[in-house]
Amino acid sequence: DKLKERVNKTRENFSAKVNNVIKNFRKVDEEFFEELEEALILSDIGYATTEKVIGTLRDQVKENKISDSSEIKDILVNILADYMSAPPLEIRKPTVMLIVGVNGVGKTTAIGKLTNYYNIQGKKVLLAAADTFRAAAAEQLSIWGQRTNARVIKYAEGADPAAVVYDAIDAAKAADSDLLIIDTAGRLHNKKNLMSELEKINRVIDKEYEGANRETFLVVDATTGQNAIAQAEVFNKSVKLTGIILTKLDGTAKGGVVCAVKDMTGVPVRFIGVGEGVDDLQPFDAHEFARAILG
Ligand code: GDP
């Protein structure tokens, strides 16, 4: 299927390493666990999450008296899926989705794809260009707005992002929108300003859009491997994240990082980007993903 094909590089990297261990060590013994642990760490799952996964695996092996390594793969798929899974995302009307993330990670593209995804579900989407720091950001968002038939609220470069959000909320109410997606600036080198900007935007939403369902999604680039997790930890300290969108999984062998995101940050992965096209965003399904990289 499409996911398997798109995460092919991760799949090749990941399953080659794990399959090697399974093939070379027929018996599930101490040596087997040690080799498997190393394979998982090398597959970008990271040390801390791998430790836990191996711990869970040891328990299950003992409990079910498993001795043949050929039985390990299915068990491992389920354990990895459990470490990634979360209750399904529900988009009640109206929802405000604040999208944060560092420049270049694929934030604008992700917003375009999200708009398309919810359009297809019959939801009315409005976009707010609250990255007023770069004129190009609003321009790009407008292009995605045209592509997806969504209205974009934008101001001139340098305008107050909170003012854009204020206006966008008015427009969303007037248009009876299901979903308001807000693009924000991504200049993390100026972290203090960025975080106070996001706080101000949040205050405007709290005040002007009472009762709206809220989501705050961080967009991170999967090709950066464990750095994606470091970014999530930094953002989650300042703005309470409710979900993560991992982009560019199609171009990387480091997709194993997905397995560690929720365990390390407590924030579930909600969507994954698997290409540059408007359709190349998938709602994240933990079991499907675990099977795609290992099954
Ligand atoms: P932003 O600065 O975070 O808004 O990043 P953009 O949305 O402009 O994306 C930066 C680059 O990454 C663009 O060339 C996108 O086409 C590309 N990109 C975004 N998402 C994906 C993805 O899931 N897969 C691939 N292969 N490229 C992506």
Side-chain angles (χ1 to χ4, degrees), residues 102-110 113 134 140 247-251 273-276 280:
V102 177
N103 289 333
V105 293
K107 189 152 47 85
T108 318
T109 309
K113 293 170 178 174
R134 297 179 306 157
Q140 257 208 307
T247 62
K248 309 185 194 179
L249 268 167
D250 52 311
V274 292
E276 293 184 274
D280 294 326

Side-chain angles (χ1 to χ4, degrees), residues 49-248:
T49 303
T50 295
E51 288 275 278
K52 292 189 207 169
V53 167
I54 292 289
T56 309
L57 185 66
R58 280 178 192 271
D59 292 346
Q60 292 192 10
V61 161
K62 206 168 163 190
E63 207 173 297
N64 300 305
K65 300 190 170 57
I66 286 156
S67 58
D68 191 328
S69 70
S70 66
E71 292 175 67
I72 291 293
K73 203 147 118 180
D74 288 340
I75 301 171
L76 190 57
V77 166
N78 283 327
I79 293 174
L80 288 176
D82 283 346
Y83 274 89
M84 297 187 278
S85 68
L89 172 67
E90 277 179 57
I91 299 300
R92 270 189 292 107
K93 180 179 182 177
T95 289
V96 179
M97 215 179 251
L98 191 66
I99 310 292
V100 301
V102 177
N103 289 333
V105 293
K107 189 152 47 85
T108 318
T109 309
I111 292 171
K113 293 170 178 174
L114 276 173
T115 307
N116 178 63
Y117 175 79
Y118 285 111
N119 268 347
I120 289 169
Q121 296 187 10
K123 297 199 191 300
K124 205 187 228 180
V125 184
L126 189 91
L127 300 176
D131 179 357
T132 58
F133 192 70
R134 297 179 306 157
E139 280 309 308
Q140 257 208 307
L141 197 67
S142 295
I143 293 168
W144 279 106
Q146 279 162 14
R147 229 176 256 171
T148 55
N149 274 321
R151 189 173 166 208
V152 181
I153 304 297
K154 62 171 176 175
Y155 280 18
E157 187 177 346
D160 181 358
V164 179
V165 170
Y166 188 95
D167 247 21
I169 291 171
D170 259 2
K173 285 179 182 167
D176 197 28
S177 300
D178 294 276
L179 180 59
L180 169 61
I181 304 179
I182 303 171
D183 185 21
T184 62
R187 40 186 214 289
L188 196 62
H189 58 275
N190 204 338
K191 198 177 134 211
K192 202 156 159 275
N193 285 350
L194 176 60
M195 295 309 170
S196 63
E197 187 173 303
L198 293 174
E199 273 165 30
K200 191 171 170 194
I201 288 173
N202 271 327
R203 280 200 301 275
V204 169
I205 303 169
D206 286 342
K207 190 151 169 275
E208 303 301 325
Y209 218 170
E210 231 181 292
N213 181 33
R214 301 281 296 273
E215 297 289 347
T216 304
F217 288 169
L218 173 71
V219 183
V220 286
D221 179 342
T223 64
T224 63
Q226 291 289 314
N227 272 337
I229 289 174
Q231 263 173 31
E233 283 169 339
V234 167
F235 270 89
N236 201 29
K237 270 184 203 142
S238 308
V239 272
K240 178 103 196 58
L241 301 174
T242 61
I244 287 174
I245 301 176
L246 262 150
T247 62
K248 309 185 194 179

